Amino acid sequence: MSENPETTPAGGSLADRVTKPDESKPTDSSDVSAPPTEDGASAPAQGSANLEEPDYTVAVKLSDLQADPNNPLFSVKSFEDLGLDARILKGLSTMNFRKPSKVQERALPLLMSNPPKNLVGQSQSGTGKTAAFVLNILSRLDLSTEQLQMTPQALILAPTRELARQIVGVIQVMGQFLEGLVIGTAVPADSNARPSKMDCSVVVGTPGTVQDMIKKRVMNPTGLKVLVLDEADNMLDQQGLGDQCIRAKAMLPRTVQIVLFSATFPAHVYRYAGKFAPAANEITLQHEELTVEGIKQLYMDCNTDEEKYQNLVQLYGLLTVGSSIIFVRTRASAVEIEKRMVAEGHTVASLTGGVEGSQRDAVIDSFRSGDAKVLITTNVLARGIDVSTVSLVVNYDIPEEYSSGQRTNTPDYQTYLHRIGRTGRFGRIGVAISFVSNRNEWEMLRKIQAHFQCVIDRIDTSDWDEVEDMIKKTIKNTRAQANFVQSN
């Protein structure tokens, strides 16, 4: 199914070549137990109640060396300590956020200090980054007049329309008791649609569309106080998006507070982030702490691309236990797999960058609501998307670095991390399965395992009943239960 299929090297099956028999059995996760947790996405009755976070420390680097670490607001243990508006606290309560996550404990005082300071924040998926920057924005808005309510005061940039719409959902719920809060979404319109004027207090959008709206005077940037880049490493590293972010920033007031958040910051992007957000405070996790806790990582030997597809079909019953995302390399692969599976009577949907905007919205909304349980996609959905019911991620193709448009046989570590992070959100259990069909893919998976110092167990496909039993036990673990209200 992937492009340029390679023949299997001589010497027996891939399993025979790379896996010793006594290492081939995946470990059973059925004995893992923990109290049920709730999710941190955008619907009511979600959040940090009973949240059991992985044990990690958040390192803080202050741009102001004179800052007093003994200041009571250097770290906060409750949202009330921040002096938030009672209406914002009420919104947090609706979302079931009881106390700050570890990242929020350290980030919120830095974000909300006055005068405002820039922040570069790096923390793993599902730790509450979105809630942190949304809280900061809501606390800085002036909604005292109708004119201010219709003037953009905060701008959040995201790499995809799906992530932008998700962030809008978080703001809507968290800010639901703030009278006069108006939120605008600046994402690519369908080809025949005209952009509407951004008469709102908060704008969430993609860089190219926002830049275009400012140029066409559809959006007035002069009143902006805060600029947030979510998934900032992806935004600043991609040639097109990086250029668009720089041009958009150049159109904003010099006094704007710049906040960069991401789960990963490769060294070269980190250096660039320092120039984009000068004199910024920083919060970071150690590199080896970034593998998402609570995700059972597995792989499947497949001798050919056709065997990949047949194994995927075998997995279909498991894919629909909760919700599942299948990541492929190309748009053509996504379309072909969807076509074949639908023809065989399976219910699946696909979403790629080639789909028109309103159709993309309909597909992701269907997936969020549970009408579609299996979603085939490219890396367009690898980052930031938080669909609470996702319990299984399949890497149909191992994510790979490209150079000058050519595959390099080098794993894309950050994309792997972001992909598997679509499951196991906010302390729940999830499963990630990678398909391996040739020596290059095996080598990439081996490098991923070494890079993150994690164990990726082999699934023995000779007994599908055993495979199904093991995966179901993991997915149905108490921490994986979706005991929350489904998001819209």
Side-chain angles (χ1 to χ4, degrees):
M1 193 62 55
S2 52
E3 295 176 331
N4 304 324
E6 299 171 53
T7 55
T8 306
S13 75
L14 186 67
D16 293 335
R17 296 193 304 278
V18 300
T19 312
K20 294 177 183 175
D22 61 348
E23 295 173 344
S24 64
K25 285 273 190 185
T27 55
D28 186 359
S29 301
S30 58
D31 59 345
V32 182
S33 61
T37 65
E38 281 150 3
D39 171 80
S42 58
Q46 300 170 350
S48 56
N50 304 319
L51 170 63
E52 296 211 354
E53 290 190 278
D55 187 20
Y56 59 78
T57 55
V58 181
V60 177
K61 181 180 174 185
L62 298 173
S63 60
D64 178 6
L65 296 178
Q66 303 305 309
D68 179 11
N70 297 314
N71 184 307
L73 287 188
F74 189 75
S75 178
V76 292
K77 296 300 180 186
S78 77
F79 291 114
E80 287 76 12
D81 290 343
L82 293 162
L84 291 166
D85 186 303
R87 295 168 298 175
I88 299 174
L89 288 172
K90 192 175 177 184
L92 281 170
S93 179
T94 301
M95 297 178 75
N96 215 11
F97 279 101
R98 305 289 172 77
K99 63 176 184 173
S101 67
K102 289 180 184 177
V103 168
Q104 291 165 354
E105 283 180 8
R106 307 309 294 268
L108 286 168
L110 299 175
L111 276 169
M112 297 174 65
S113 64
N114 284 307
K117 296 277 292 180
N118 295 342
L119 179 79
V120 175
Q122 174 260 307
S123 68
Q124 68 194 61
S125 297
T127 54
K129 298 188 296 290
T130 306
F133 65 68
V134 169
L135 267 179
N136 176 54
I137 284 171
L138 294 180
S139 70
R140 295 193 183 279
L141 294 178
D142 181 352
L143 305 174
S144 57
T145 69
E146 192 173 334
Q147 178 67 35
L148 286 167
Q149 293 165 15
M150 307 301 274
T151 302
Q153 298 177 49
L155 171 62
I156 303 170
L157 296 179
T160 65
R161 67 183 295 122
E162 287 75 24
L163 184 52
R165 292 178 72 235
Q166 178 175 289
I167 294 167
V168 167
V170 174
I171 302 169
Q172 284 172 336
V173 178
M174 198 178 290
Q176 64 185 293
F177 300 107
L178 288 173
E179 299 89 357
L181 173 63
V182 185
I183 308 158
T185 308
V187 296
D190 288 353
S191 48
N192 58 353
R194 290 172 60 87
S196 55
K197 201 167 187 315
M198 285 288 108
D199 290 328
C200 51
S201 29
V202 180
V203 177
V204 187
T206 50
T209 302
V210 167
Q211 180 194 330
D212 198 43
M213 285 183 163
I214 295 173
K215 273 185 183 173
K216 292 178 178 175
R217 304 199 175 182
V218 176
M219 174 182 163
N220 177 10
T222 57
L224 286 172
K225 303 174 186 176
V226 185
L227 167 65
V228 175
L229 267 62
D230 197 14
E231 302 300 333
D233 66 326
N234 182 249
M235 303 269 275
L236 296 177
D237 197 24
Q238 281 193 15
Q239 189 65 35
L241 283 179
D243 291 346
Q244 290 167 354
C245 288
I246 293 163
R247 285 196 286 269
K249 181 194 169 191
M251 299 172 174
L252 309 186
R254 289 183 177 274
T255 54
V256 73
Q257 178 190 26
I258 301 169
V259 179
L260 310 181
F261 260 118
S262 183
T264 50
F265 272 110
H268 67 289
V269 180
Y270 176 75
R271 288 191 294 272
Y272 185 61
K275 296 175 184 175
F276 192 90
N281 292 319
E282 298 174 18
I283 61 169
T284 55
L285 293 182
Q286 294 301 308
H287 159 79
E288 61 271 12
E289 293 171 327
L290 281 173
T291 298
V292 184
E293 296 288 336
I295 296 178
K296 178 77 174 168
Q297 296 176 69
L298 306 165
Y299 77 93
M300 249 182 214
D301 281 350
C302 311
N303 287 318
T304 63
D305 282 348
E306 178 58 26
E307 191 175 319
K308 265 190 183 182
Y309 175 76
Q310 294 304 331
N311 283 349
L312 186 65
V313 171
Q314 285 275 12
L315 278 173
Y316 181 81
L318 295 171
L319 295 172
T320 54
V321 170
S323 297
S324 304
I325 301 179
I326 302 164
F327 285 105
V328 297
R329 184 182 299 115
T330 67
R331 295 176 184 180
S333 290
V335 171
E336 187 180 343
I337 293 170
E338 180 190 25
K339 195 172 170 184
R340 284 186 72 177
M341 292 189 79
V342 168
E344 292 173 24
H346 302 299
T347 305
V348 297
S350 71
L351 191 151
T352 68
V355 178
E356 184 112 304
S358 59
Q359 192 181 339
R360 281 172 68 169
D361 295 346
V363 171
I364 196 70
D365 289 346
S366 174
F367 187 58
R368 283 189 188 284
S369 69
D371 291 338
K373 286 184 171 288
V374 180
L375 185 65
I376 306 164
T377 186
T378 54
N379 287 336
V380 71
L381 280 193
R383 290 167 172 269
I385 293 301
D386 191 351
V387 176
S388 308
T389 51
V390 173
S391 52
L392 184 60
V393 165
V394 174
N395 288 309
Y396 192 85
D397 299 306
I398 303 287
E400 190 173 354
E401 294 276 8
Y402 279 73
S403 178
S404 303
Q406 299 297 312
R407 293 164 59 187
T408 62
N409 294 326
T410 301
D412 185 337
Y413 301 110
Q414 312 307 334
T415 295
Y416 177 84
L417 180 60
H418 283 283
R419 279 183 179 185
I420 71 168
R422 296 314 96 219
T423 186
R425 305 290 289 175
F426 244 108
R428 295 192 307 280
I429 294 290
V431 176
I433 302 175
S434 297
F435 286 6
V436 179
S437 66
N438 55 59
R439 187 170 288 281
N440 285 337
E441 289 179 341
W442 162 252
E443 284 298 323
M444 287 195 289
L445 194 69
R446 187 186 59 78
K447 288 174 183 175
I448 286 169
Q449 186 168 265
H451 181 82
F452 291 114
Q453 298 179 4
C454 61
V455 175
I456 305 178
D457 291 312
R458 176 176 170 258
I459 296 175
D460 183 359
T461 54
S462 63
D463 186 343
W464 278 99
D465 288 338
E466 189 175 330
V467 171
E468 186 169 329
D469 187 50
M470 183 272 295
I471 296 176
K472 272 187 177 174
K473 279 180 181 175
T474 304
I475 293 173
K476 291 188 174 182
N477 180 280
T478 53
R479 289 177 71 196
Q481 295 303 311
N483 58 339
F484 46 80
V485 177
Q486 178 64 47
S487 52
N488 295 322

